[in-house]
Amino acid sequence: MLSGFLNTQRLQTRIVGTFLGLLLLIQAVSYWFVQRSVEDHTRTVVRSELVTGERVFKRLLEQNHDQLKQATEVLAADFGFRAAIASGDAETVQSALENHGDRIQASLALFADPSFKLKGATSDEATRFLTAVRNHAQSAQSSEPVDGQAAEVDERRYQIDLIDGQPYQIVAVPVRAPALIGWVGMAFRLDTRLLLDMQQLSGLEVALAHRQGAKTQVAMATVPAGLWPSLLPDAAVAAPIDKASAPSSRLTDLETDEGTYSALVVPLTGSEGRSDATVVLLRSVDQAMSTYHQLQRTLLILTGLGLLAFGIGSVVTARRITTPLRRLSNAARRLGSGEYGVTLTTRASGEIGELAQSLESMRQAIQHREVEIRRLAFQDALTDLPNREQFRHDLRKSIGHNAASGTPCAILLMDMDRFKHVNDVLGHRFGDRLLRAVAERLRQEALQGQHAVLARLSGDEFAVLLPNADASAAAPVAQRIHQVLERPFVLDDHNVDLSAGIGVTTCPEHGTDADLLLSRAEVAMYVAKERQAGTVVYHAGLDSSSEESLTLLSELRQAVEHNQLRLFLQPKVCLRSSQIIGAEALVRWQHPTRGMVPPMRFIPFAEQTGFIRALTMWILGEVAAMARQVADEGQHLKIAVNLSTRDLMDQDLPSKVEAILQRHQVDPTLIVLEITESAIMDDPQRALQTLNRLHSLGLKLSIDDFGTGYSSLAYLKRLPVDELKIDRSFVMNMETDLQDAKIVHSTIELAHNLGLSVVAEGVEGAKHWKLLAGLGCDEAQGYFIAKPMPAADFLPWLKDWHAPDTTQEELGTAFAALT
Ligand code: C2E
Ligand code: CA
Ligand code: CA
């Protein structure tokens, strides 16, 4: 969006285009204007030159006429001449005419009597002029001064007569003695000299045209003869022209080979008032304009230079604007794509500089926020360690690297034991400080010198990524973590003992997907916690797949409603009498598609979600029904039910149990509740309350998996328990491991000393049986006797059961010595 707005290429073109366009427009308009003014002006000048030319020409004709007239009058007044006429001396008249005519360069001189009979002439042609002379004489007579006033305008002064196609100026003067005795006439032929005079005086070209029959043609002109045919304007051809008409109506333009001429047609008065001759005054427009052409050229050059300068100027200006804009727009694009690291600098000042500064502070703010967001998103606020997201990210990166190099990597996932208890008893603030201390100790002591990533995933859950380690390399690290946690944490005079369960997965052995590795590590960790085993490396037996577990969890809620849970029973035998004296209730999940799901796959999750309470209630109901059935069969059997921490934290558990037992009319002393040490230790105070109430109802209590936790004997003493159940890990190994055998032995001793009975679980063979019996163990449970079986199979199985014969079993001497 921003980049579209800042399309600087377009902006630059627009700026340059606009400025150049405007300039061009202004220049064009002013050029046009100047051109028009020049043309108008030229035309006005030409016109006034022509009009002046007309006056000059007429003045020339006047002068000619006046000279002619004066000279003729001198002759007419000459005494000798008159005497010669009177005496009829034709010869003298003839010579006087010749002399006079020559003097004024007249073309012809004649003398006629009052009745216009030719009496003498300087040319044989004179008769042709006679008519013209008579016309002049008559008009002179008619315009004789009236009251001494001359006619205002003497039209005759400009009169041109055409005689044999030649233009003449003619005067007629009366000869009186004192009565009229005749007329002297003189003719003056208009020739090129007159035109050249005219040209010199006015600077105009002059052409003389006259009518010959119906046609008008040029008689003479100051321009080359080649142009003559084009010299006749329509006005000159159209006859007659009104002499009085205004000059403007007689003005016209002529296009000739030599260019445009402005022409003024001047009609000359002809004989008998007709205008047979016309003078055309010509002025070359091009010539008149030529002075301006230089001006126009200069103007054009200036316009060109102006455009160039303007173009360069506007390009430079546009660049000055668009170059920083382009840089800013690039920077904005970079910001858009998430590159916040590059500082935005510009030398531009003014608005662009301000814009750049705004963008820069925006960038800094975004960068700052980005860092903050990343910190919030990827860092744990409490410990400043990477959080789950960051850890997953690092893990994925490491998986990618390792896939390329073929080296393994390992994850250690740890969860503090009983941390909730710390929170509940000492408060969350204390809990937070403790977590910080744990993080510090892990970093400073457990992982020091290790190439490792430590992260806090949630609550009391930490994870370690060992980028180049397999399971065997991870083991010592896990070991060290346990070691550093062994030392109590001292905070505000509180001594806190912490321990953790650690689950280990390695890539690629346990998966190549970060989430899969994490969830499998979680499964292993829960097992480690459950078994108090410290560290557990994941294997398929723990959980065939963690995704499966997740789905199971969501399906678990439906399991009870859809009656998918099954009650299994595993018998317990009395080692003294070899009689079946009870059974442990173990739940199974008959999944519609997965088949029989073992409890370790869903019990930990049920505990996590709290769903375990509903599950326990279901089992208690089933067990009560079973106990009722057993009692009805006349059998006396104890049935044990497993309880989890969540159950113990339920204050209503005793009354709920009581209600169930009452509903089925079951003797509470026939029900044993198996509780793990850790379930009690999570909140001993509360557990003790619940246990006391259950005990007072008559139920028997058994400490399950004894030996895996770190029972405090002091607690044990105060607990209302009846039985210890030695963990199967000791029992299963006791025939090979003397140490384990000793533990079993001393546990039996301890229990008996505390007045408790002892159950051994995990009895898998005849040797176990014999050894346990020899050590004085009270009861045994295990595959050697029977695997857990559906509740319905139990009573039929019981009927068929025979105690095994173990008398032939050979125990090693070392073991025999124990008994
Ligand atoms: P647990 O309470 O220690 O139960 C004994 C487990 O040991 C049972 O596994 C049983 O099948 C197994 N076992 C018995 N004899 C032998 C033997 O000779 N060798 C070996 N290797 N194992 C033997 P199961 O049924 O898979 O149960 C596992 C755990 O699941 C139980 O451990 C218990 O903690 C939990 N669990 C099972 N059912 C319930 C239940 O209804 N409620 C609760 N809260 N937990 C249950
Ligand atoms: Ca149990
Ligand atoms: Ca057990």
Side-chain angles (χ1 to χ4, degrees), residues 530 570 584-588 598-600 603 607 612 615-616 619 642-644 647 674 704-705 725 727-728 732 761-764 781-784 786 788:
E530 176 121 8
Q570 189 180 29
E584 181 180 1
L586 295 161
V587 72
R588 298 287 181 268
M600 281 318 292
I603 294 291
E607 282 174 344
I612 192 72
L615 201 93
T616 304
I619 289 162
N642 292 286
L643 288 187
S644 71
D647 295 316
E674 295 188 4
D704 202 354
D705 301 342
K725 206 171 175 186
D727 191 67
R728 59 180 182 272
M732 278 154 54
E761 62 177 5
V763 176
E764 291 190 337
Q781 178 187 349
Y783 293 171
F784 181 61

Side-chain angles (χ1 to χ4, degrees), residues 118-159:
L118 189 67
K119 292 290 180 201
T122 55
S123 164
D124 301 339
E125 316 278 286
T127 42
R128 298 177 197 271
F129 290 82
L130 212 55
T131 326
V133 171
R134 190 175 56 200
N135 286 341
H136 277 271
Q138 279 167 352
S139 69
Q141 257 177 334
S142 63
S143 65
E144 281 284 272
V146 181
D147 302 338
Q149 295 257 305
E152 259 173 38
V153 181
D154 186 356
E155 281 291 334
R156 281 166 302 166
R157 294 164 96 184
Y158 320 114
Q159 189 168 329

Side-chain angles (χ1 to χ4, degrees), residues 433-675:
R433 286 170 60 204
L434 185 59
L435 281 175
R436 272 201 290 267
V438 169
E440 199 52 29
R441 211 183 266 189
L442 287 174
R443 191 166 49 198
Q444 297 278 319
E445 299 178 27
L447 300 172
Q448 206 192 18
Q450 280 284 336
H451 181 36
V453 176
L454 173 66
R456 177 173 169 238
L457 303 193
S458 67
D460 56 347
E461 201 175 86
F462 291 86
V464 177
L465 167 65
L466 299 169
N468 292 307
D470 56 6
S472 60
V477 178
Q479 195 60 42
R480 214 159 42 247
I481 291 173
H482 288 303
Q483 273 169 16
V484 302
L485 292 180
E486 253 166 32
R487 217 171 65 240
F489 288 86
V490 186
L491 285 173
D492 298 346
D493 299 336
H494 287 283
N495 258 18
V496 186
D497 281 303
L498 278 181
S499 61
I502 299 179
V504 179
T505 45
T506 59
C507 171
E509 199 189 338
H510 301 131
T512 51
D513 174 75
D515 289 331
L516 181 64
L517 284 168
L518 268 173
S519 70
R520 286 185 165 171
E522 199 172 20
V523 169
M525 179 198 77
Y526 277 119
V527 173
K529 280 173 75 87
E530 176 121 8
R531 295 184 188 162
Q532 293 292 320
T535 303
V536 169
V537 178
Y538 175 85
H539 60 87
L542 295 178
D543 174 31
S544 66
S545 100
S546 47
E547 292 113 276
E548 192 186 28
S549 311
L550 281 173
T551 325
L552 280 175
L553 192 63
S554 68
E555 292 175 6
L556 193 56
R557 299 178 186 281
Q558 299 186 348
V560 178
E561 292 160 32
H562 295 105
N563 209 16
Q564 292 169 0
L565 296 178
R566 300 280 178 273
L567 178 69
F568 272 52
L569 291 173
Q570 189 180 29
K572 285 182 180 171
V573 72
C574 170
L575 286 173
R576 260 187 304 275
S577 63
S578 298
Q579 293 291 308
I580 303 297
I581 50 143
E584 181 180 1
L586 295 161
V587 72
R588 298 287 181 268
W589 182 5
Q590 180 64 55
H591 192 277
T593 54
R594 292 168 218 258
M596 202 63 88
V597 183
M600 281 318 292
R601 292 255 189 97
F602 62 92
I603 294 291
F605 298 107
E607 282 174 344
Q608 266 187 334
T609 55
F611 183 74
I612 192 72
R613 290 188 183 182
L615 201 93
T616 304
M617 285 304 121
W618 180 86
I619 289 162
L620 276 168
E622 292 293 299
V623 164
M626 185 70 203
R628 179 74 258 145
Q629 199 190 335
V630 169
D632 287 350
E633 292 267 325
Q635 302 273 359
H636 184 82
L637 292 172
K638 300 181 289 176
I639 305 183
V641 173
N642 292 286
L643 288 187
S644 71
T645 317
R646 292 257 192 173
D647 295 316
L648 285 184
M649 294 303 119
D650 182 4
Q651 237 116 51
D652 298 334
L653 181 72
S655 48
K656 284 182 194 163
V657 171
E658 191 181 13
I660 290 171
L661 295 183
Q662 260 175 10
R663 193 160 62 236
H664 293 90
Q665 303 264 297
V666 173
D667 180 359
T669 57
L670 290 178
I671 304 297
V672 181
L673 299 176
E674 295 188 4
I675 306 131

Side-chain angles (χ1 to χ4, degrees), residues 324-325 327-329 331-332 335 342-366:
L325 268 185
R327 221 178 291 131
L328 290 183
S329 128
L335 285 186
V342 192
T343 315
L344 250 156
T345 50
T346 177
R347 278 164 302 165
S349 53
E351 286 91 336
I352 304 229
E354 269 167 39
L355 177 62
Q357 229 150 39
S358 308
L359 267 179
E360 169 62 10
S361 38
M362 181 175 103
R363 180 195 70 78
Q364 282 174 359
I366 292 176

Side-chain angles (χ1 to χ4, degrees), residues 40 121 132 138 567 772 807:
D40 281 359
Q138 279 167 352
L567 178 69
L772 287 164
T807 47

